[in-house]
Amino acid sequence: MRSQAIILGFVAVVIALVYEFFLKDILFIAIGIGRIIQPIEDFPYSCRKIYGSENILESCEDVWLDDEGRTLYAACVDLKSRHEWSPGGDKLNASGRTPNGHFVALNIDSPGPDGNYGASRLQITGDYLGPAGSRAIDPNGFDVEILPNNRLRFWMTNVRPPVDAVSGEYLDATKVGANGTVESFELIRGGDTLKWTGTFGANGGVVHSPNKVAADLNGGFVVTNDHSTPIGLRRSLDPLLGGGSLAHCTRSNDCKIAVDGLSFPNGLVRGLDGLFYVPSSMTGRIGVYSLSSTSLTKIDEIEVGMPIDNLSIDANGDIFAAAFPDPLKLIKEVKYVTGLPLPSTVWQIRKVSSERDGEGKGKGRGSVNYRVWKVLEDSEGKLLPTGTTTAAHDAKTGRIFLGGVLSEHMTVCEPIPIAR
Ligand SMILES: *[C@@H]1O[C@H](CO)[C@@H](O)[C@H](O)[C@H]1NC(C)=O
Ligand SMILES: *[C@@H]1O[C@H](CO)[C@@H](O)[C@H](O)[C@H]1NC(C)=O
Ligand SMILES: CC(=O)N[C@H]1CO[C@H](CO)[C@@H](O)[C@@H]1O
């Protein structure tokens, strides 16, 4: 009798633990049972789509806003190509890929007659070599570091089809996985060329499933591997076991895994406070890490409660997070490409440090708190890009620029002045 009660009690504890640490995340965060998704009209913004000429604003997965230079940079790819070649989403049909990955610059203070902010393509120069002798880039995420003398250093995750090092012929990506690297480029503010300056993480298998990169301002960077391996059985278990990681590379291309066992780490950023903010597209939480030489230590966690995509930082240091309120719909869209609109959400996160102690105690850092609030949501996917993957806030004007990996356009949302 007594042993039965103990076993029952034990089973109950196990169930409670599984629920607490696993099922709860899957049911209420990843699947989003019971989540209320609001229409875009609920928010004090007026939004419009921007297309640019010749589809150059298709599938802009990541953007970065140069507050001082008043320019928005976006990394974009042909949408049709993205549906065949998206290694992060297990799409490895290299023959369906077009070698048309590119960066676009938009002058955010000059909408121009067509409202496209003069969206124009940047040219890659220098000795960059893409797969099979081409100069094509396959951008995923990118970060920009401001250097002296009006120069910008771009760091870009490049996820190319694999080629044989000797013959230069394409290899079967479904067998060997994509070739993930991080590229660096330099741009002079106002210029239209990105001069290639180096490839990082190409050897050693540390940067194997790169998603997004964040400069460490020391000549190196931190990059998220969103999966445990580029292909294979272990990778298919990632939804259950985790397996994503954070890799750090130094300026001399010394790369190592700094943190392992994460659940789908995604579009990380370096905050103005020097800390690295790493969102998860599974758990709805953002891990906060501090970097010392080459090791990363987790010091905090921010609860958002919705699968999060990519983060951006505005000029005031606030974080803007693009999120998926209905992940199952998104997964369906990635798989079957129906072209149906998808809902998206944008969160704003502000670090609040109070002088007085008391709030947020028990975390060992007494005075740090995070305010998290929803700034935009589009339940019907009317105006925000399909599968909004990134949102950049212009702190000077309050506008929000959005890009989406599955979208034909970008979107700009202007705040509607509140009548008093
Ligand atoms: C790969 O892409 C090509 C070109 O779009 C297409 O014809 C082919 O059916 C695709 N293959 C697979 C396995 O989906
Ligand atoms: C990956 O890219 C690097 C850098 O361009 C190149 O040296 C290497 O041969 C490529 N490997 C594969 C398998 O494509
Ligand atoms: C730039 C970047 O990190 N993009 C990621 C944003 O989130 C989507 C969906 O999870 C990823 O597929 C992208 O790689």
Side-chain angles (χ1 to χ4, degrees):
M1 248 341 250
R2 210 172 132 212
S3 66
Q4 258 179 356
I6 291 173
I7 290 171
L8 272 182
F10 181 71
V11 169
V13 167
V14 168
I15 291 175
L17 285 177
V18 166
Y19 175 79
E20 183 62 31
F21 290 105
F22 191 66
L23 268 184
K24 213 166 77 176
D25 273 0
I26 292 204
L27 295 178
F28 298 104
I29 309 289
I31 299 179
I33 292 173
R35 180 175 286 144
I36 293 168
I37 310 178
Q38 293 173 262
I40 187 108
E41 291 80 12
D42 280 7
F43 299 87
Y45 285 88
S46 109
C47 301
R48 67 179 173 88
K49 301 177 178 179
I50 0 175
Y51 286 86
S53 58
E54 292 166 1
N55 306 329
I56 60 170
L57 296 180
E58 261 186 27
S59 188
C60 298
E61 182 157 6
D62 204 5
V63 301
W64 185 84
L65 193 144
D66 182 6
D67 175 68
E68 244 175 87
R70 309 306 295 155
T71 305
L72 182 82
Y73 297 96
C76 317
V77 173
D78 291 350
L79 193 51
K80 210 166 144 253
S81 176
R82 193 81 91 175
H83 287 311
E84 303 293 338
W85 181 253
S86 279
D90 295 312
K91 304 231 166 173
L92 292 164
N93 181 9
S95 58
R97 157 189 173 273
T98 52
N100 197 23
H102 54 273
F103 279 94
V104 181
L106 297 94
N107 305 317
I108 54 172
D109 290 338
S110 320
D114 51 9
N116 286 331
Y117 302 95
S120 65
R121 240 178 121 113
L122 303 177
Q123 302 304 320
I124 306 284
T125 64
D127 292 332
Y128 173 73
L129 258 190
S134 75
R135 292 171 71 83
I137 54 169
D138 292 87
N140 191 358
F142 71 102
D143 189 21
V144 180
E145 193 178 337
I146 298 172
L147 302 177
N149 301 326
N150 262 331
R151 290 172 309 136
L152 301 177
R153 179 184 289 143
F154 281 59
W155 293 101
M156 176 194 89
T157 50
N158 201 12
V159 189
R160 289 174 282 182
V163 293
D164 185 274
V166 179
S167 69
E169 302 281 328
Y170 282 108
L171 296 169
D172 184 352
T174 61
K175 299 216 169 73
V176 300
N179 189 9
T181 54
V182 172
E183 313 292 330
S184 64
F185 303 92
E186 249 184 62
L187 175 133
I188 297 173
R189 273 195 176 122
D192 61 0
T193 56
L194 281 166
K195 181 166 185 273
W196 177 76
T197 48
T199 296
F200 292 74
N203 301 306
V206 171
V207 180
H208 53 72
S209 315
N211 183 309
K212 177 151 164 162
V213 54
D216 70 5
L217 305 194
N218 230 334
F221 56 84
V222 178
V223 59
T224 45
N225 283 311
D226 53 18
H227 284 83
S228 54
T229 51
I231 44 163
L233 176 66
R234 177 60 185 85
R235 177 184 172 104
S236 61
L237 296 175
D238 285 351
L240 292 177
L241 303 178
S245 54
L246 298 177
H248 179 263
C249 296
T250 64
R251 67 165 67 222
S252 50
N253 199 12
D254 235 335
C255 300
K256 66 163 204 187
I257 299 285
V259 180
D260 210 347
L262 300 177
S263 182
F264 292 98
N266 219 310
L268 88 163
V269 283
R270 182 182 188 276
L272 295 189
D273 54 10
L275 300 173
F276 290 83
Y277 292 82
V278 184
S280 160
S281 49
M282 183 84 172
T283 68
R285 288 187 277 268
I286 299 173
V288 186
Y289 293 84
S290 82
L291 175 72
S292 63
S293 72
T294 65
S295 68
L296 284 160
T297 314
K298 187 167 178 186
I299 58 166
D300 219 336
E301 195 163 74
I302 307 170
E303 193 77 43
V304 178
M306 193 181 274
I308 314 160
D309 223 15
N310 306 300
L311 304 181
S312 73
I313 297 280
D314 75 1
N316 300 326
D318 283 4
I319 300 174
F320 283 73
F324 301 138
D326 192 345
L328 288 192
K329 237 188 203 166
L330 177 85
I331 291 168
K332 240 203 245 151
E333 180 60 26
V334 168
K335 223 169 173 164
Y336 303 114
V337 193
T338 59
L340 291 176
L342 290 173
S344 313
T345 308
V346 178
W347 298 90
Q348 184 166 356
I349 299 154
R350 178 171 298 159
K351 183 175 174 178
V352 189
S353 318
S354 64
E355 290 298 305
R356 275 167 289 133
D357 259 17
E359 281 178 288
K361 65 183 162 212
K363 285 201 163 172
R365 296 201 313 136
S367 54
V368 172
N369 262 300
Y370 300 94
R371 265 189 68 208
V372 180
W373 70 99
K374 208 190 264 181
V375 281
L376 277 172
E377 194 159 60
D378 186 358
S379 56
E380 293 170 50
K382 278 191 203 163
L383 290 165
L384 299 197
T386 302
T388 298
T389 35
T390 174
H393 179 239
D394 177 25
K396 291 207 169 89
T397 62
R399 288 171 301 173
I400 300 175
F401 293 87
L402 306 112
V405 64
L406 299 176
S407 182
E408 291 173 347
H409 59 87
M410 290 187 61
T411 295
V412 56
C413 295
E414 307 214 16
I416 300 170
I418 300 165
R420 282 173 192 256

